[in-house]
Amino acid sequence: MNNSKNEQNITKELSTHILGMLVNPIHTMDWSIKKLSKKCTYILILLLSFLYGIINVLLMQNIAKTAFKYIDTIMGNNYIFGLINKRLMYEIDNYMSWSKIFIFEIFLFFISCIIIFLTTYFIFKYVFKCDIRPLCFLQVIVSSFVPFIFYTLLQLILSYISFPLSLCAVLIGFILSIILFFKGLCGCTNVPQDKILMVVPISYVVMLIVDLAIIKVI
């Protein structure tokens, strides 16, 4: 009975937090710093990683199909090229391991969160000599990614209509996440905002470098 009640409480907390980050992100970010539970934070990381993996696989599949359709349109009724194009589509659909891509995207998202966390923690702890709560940083990072995942989903939907619009959607999500990350760090520490403003791009640059290195190796 207690386990069932705890699960309901976590589900309610999680759904309320996600909805709040989409509807009223600034207020919800302040709330998450003070009240978001550790368990809910960990579940949110796993949930966002899973969603990121699914969305990116579907997005890649749509991009591949759209590219081949565009090539078909350009080449017109060229019979030989049409056969080659269809063969390539068959190879992609049947031999490209979408499951491996899905797992890789989950891994990449998870690693991105960890890299931002470690970079931020190191700077505040050892450069600014600031007393911090590691969980608070993790809550800020994960919460700031909620709008990004939502806009990534919007990117997927818009990609079936217009690729430029889909790119605008993910760009808006990325900018919003950076702003929320900054606001969250301001609420976590007493460090002046001008110093925090330097930490945000450093954390993201380190994340991008590590992500690119992993993609290159794999």
Side-chain angles (χ1 to χ4, degrees):
M1 185 70 179
N2 288 333
N3 289 336
S4 177
K5 189 175 181 180
N6 288 335
E7 288 176 3
Q8 289 177 358
N9 290 336
I10 290 173
T11 302
K12 184 179 179 181
E13 181 185 3
L14 192 62
S15 59
T16 302
H17 180 65
I18 292 173
L19 183 62
M21 287 304 301
L22 298 176
V23 177
N24 191 359
I26 301 296
H27 173 76
T28 307
M29 178 63 80
D30 293 336
W31 176 87
S32 68
I33 294 171
K34 300 172 184 176
K35 296 183 179 181
L36 189 66
S37 66
K38 183 187 295 186
K39 192 170 185 179
C40 191
T41 302
Y42 295 151
I43 293 173
L44 188 58
I45 294 174
L46 296 176
L47 178 61
L48 294 180
S49 300
F50 181 79
L51 290 174
Y52 184 78
I54 291 178
I55 292 169
N56 275 280
V57 167
L58 293 174
L59 186 61
M60 287 183 205
Q61 289 176 338
N62 184 41
I63 290 173
K65 289 178 181 178
T66 303
F68 282 116
K69 286 180 182 178
Y70 181 70
I71 293 172
D72 265 341
T73 303
I74 293 176
M75 297 306 296
N77 296 321
N78 190 309
Y79 178 74
I80 295 176
F81 190 84
L83 290 177
I84 295 173
N85 198 26
K86 288 179 181 178
R87 181 62 185 178
L88 287 172
M89 286 186 68
Y90 174 82
E91 294 290 338
I92 288 176
D93 287 336
N94 291 277
Y95 294 101
M96 183 174 283
S97 180
W98 294 112
S99 60
K100 288 182 179 179
I101 294 175
F102 170 67
I103 293 171
F104 174 74
E105 292 293 338
I106 290 177
F107 171 76
L108 195 62
F109 181 85
F110 186 77
I111 287 297
S112 297
C113 291
I114 297 300
I115 294 301
I116 292 177
F117 170 77
L118 292 176
T119 305
T120 308
Y121 180 84
F122 177 84
I123 293 174
F124 277 90
K125 182 73 175 179
Y126 298 104
V127 177
F128 296 154
K129 307 294 183 181
C130 178
D131 291 329
I132 54 175
R133 289 189 304 116
L135 180 62
C136 183
F137 279 178
L138 191 59
Q139 289 167 337
V140 168
I141 293 165
V142 176
S143 297
S144 68
F145 271 120
V146 172
F148 175 73
I149 296 299
F150 172 78
Y151 278 94
T152 304
L153 176 60
L154 185 60
Q155 178 193 19
L156 172 63
I157 296 170
L158 291 175
S159 68
Y160 291 94
I161 304 170
S162 169
F163 275 107
L165 280 178
S166 68
L167 293 176
C168 289
V170 75
L171 181 61
I172 291 171
F174 185 70
I175 293 172
L176 183 57
S177 291
I178 291 176
I179 294 171
L180 290 173
F181 181 51
F182 169 75
K183 295 293 290 185
L185 290 179
C186 291
C188 260
T189 66
N190 295 321
V191 175
Q193 289 189 4
D194 58 335
K195 291 185 177 180
I196 295 177
L197 198 59
M198 292 188 295
V199 175
V200 173
I202 291 173
S203 299
Y204 272 84
V205 167
V206 172
M207 177 202 71
L208 289 172
I209 292 172
V210 174
D211 284 353
L212 290 173
I214 292 172
I215 292 170
K216 187 176 180 180
V217 169
I218 296 179

